[in-house]
Amino acid sequence: MVPIHIIGGGPAGASAAIAARQQDREVCLVEKSRFPRHKVCGEFLSPEIAPLLESLGVWCEFLAAGPARIGHLELHFGSFQRRCKLPEAAYGLSRYRFDELLFTRALQIGVGSVTSRPDQAICSPTITAHGRHNLSGRSRRLFGFKSHFEGPVNDAVELYFFSGCYVGMNPVEGGITNVCGLGPENTLSTHGFDFDSVVNSFPKLSERLRPLRRTMRWLAAGPLVFENHFRSAVRPLEYRAGDALSFIDPFTGSGVLSAVMTGNLAGLAAAREIPSDVYLKLCRERMQRPFLFSSLLRTLLANGWAERLAEFVPGPWLVRLTRPRS
């Protein structure tokens, strides 16, 4: 049988490669960039990641990497704030370490890795997992930013919403706190894209960051667009996974989980040569709820309604509504 070609070596691509290789298919993983590397990401992993990582054979390595345990959720909308216990403990692990675990596992089980796409890939099952799409033009453009801090840590994922921006914080391995945000171009421009200035413009967040020290330069990504390709026409044996399939708001905390989940599904579908429309239907069933809910919440945030409604919505509901169906 012809080999399966996978474009992109991040969580979606590596998960797809492992899943396809577990089906005894020859796999060629195409990753053109240096790997692993730090990426703009919330680095939050919901508890549903555990059975997926176990099926991919990296659960023990994941635990050995020392992920932070996250037991609480904190919400900060203007003057409103809430702290609640998560239904199940979640995890925090840097993308650098997480990507390395999956990529190394793929190579260990015989996945081939190249830096450019072979010509014969067009005739074989192909998985596109090269990440999110950039948005050009004059529409309202959004940019992501992220850095690591050292100092006192807690066991919460903290979400701050202000001036059209979102900033999330959570601990990762080694006593480090990841700080990752998203903001509209006009707001970021008023700060000259100085992200220290952005995060310190919200008093509650500034106070939270005061005892911490930034340990790396700010990384930025964008312009970004939230979209999905659940119904996009593709070749019968072409599959999208991860952000290339559906890029949802980072504040949902389900981005990495969705990447691993859709990557695993794409790898199995490609290995069994299941038609892409059947694969997309399965992805819609699992992913549409968090995508639609995050779109609704983004609209509420943009129109100033989120703060008014937040006090009436139990925290555990927000967690459930932003998770893909298992």
Side-chain angles (χ1 to χ4, degrees), residues 46-223:
S46 57
E48 295 87 352
I49 199 72
L52 284 169
L53 296 183
E54 190 166 7
S55 71
L56 295 171
V58 296
W59 177 241
C60 291
E61 289 80 0
F62 175 78
L63 294 178
R69 299 278 289 191
I70 300 172
H72 289 85
L73 166 67
E74 291 186 11
L75 296 174
H76 299 268
F77 293 93
S79 60
F80 172 82
Q81 63 183 48
R82 171 184 291 168
R83 178 181 172 92
C84 63
K85 188 174 182 179
L86 293 174
E88 298 178 70
Y91 306 92
L93 191 71
S94 68
R95 278 294 302 276
Y96 189 99
R97 189 72 183 99
F98 187 73
D99 290 12
E100 183 181 43
L101 288 174
L102 289 171
F103 194 79
T104 299
R105 172 63 177 167
L107 298 182
Q108 287 174 341
I109 62 174
V111 171
S113 177
V114 297
T115 57
S116 60
R117 182 172 176 173
D119 292 338
Q120 65 268 30
I122 195 170
C123 301
S124 66
T126 302
I127 298 171
T128 302
H130 51 50
R132 63 179 68 92
H133 298 273
N134 287 341
L135 177 66
S136 58
R138 297 184 178 181
S139 57
R140 184 174 180 267
R141 306 198 305 173
L142 299 169
F143 292 82
F145 51 93
K146 162 262 184 76
S147 188
H148 283 169
F149 288 71
E150 65 179 9
V153 299
N154 61 28
D155 73 335
V157 53
E158 308 165 51
L159 309 179
Y160 297 84
F161 299 88
F162 61 97
S163 304
C165 297
Y166 144 83
V167 171
M169 296 177 59
N170 62 261
V172 295
E173 75 276 13
I176 295 295
T177 297
N178 184 53
V179 178
C180 186
L182 186 76
E185 184 175 22
N186 60 339
T187 299
L188 301 179
S189 294
T190 63
H191 295 273
F193 277 79
D194 178 344
F195 300 117
D196 286 314
S197 175
V198 172
V199 297
N200 283 297
S201 67
F202 185 45
K204 288 184 179 179
L205 181 55
S206 180
E207 180 181 356
R208 173 68 179 87
L209 292 172
R210 190 168 296 124
L212 305 183
R213 184 181 70 86
R214 184 160 56 81
T215 62
M216 60 181 284
R217 66 181 180 85
W218 286 101
L219 303 179

Side-chain angles (χ1 to χ4, degrees), residues 282-300:
L282 182 58
C283 289
R284 285 197 302 272
E285 292 172 354
R286 297 197 180 191
M287 297 290 302
Q288 201 140 2
R289 181 177 66 184
F291 189 90
L292 292 175
F293 179 74
S294 65
S295 298
L296 172 62
L297 186 52
R298 185 172 0 108
T299 300
L300 294 174

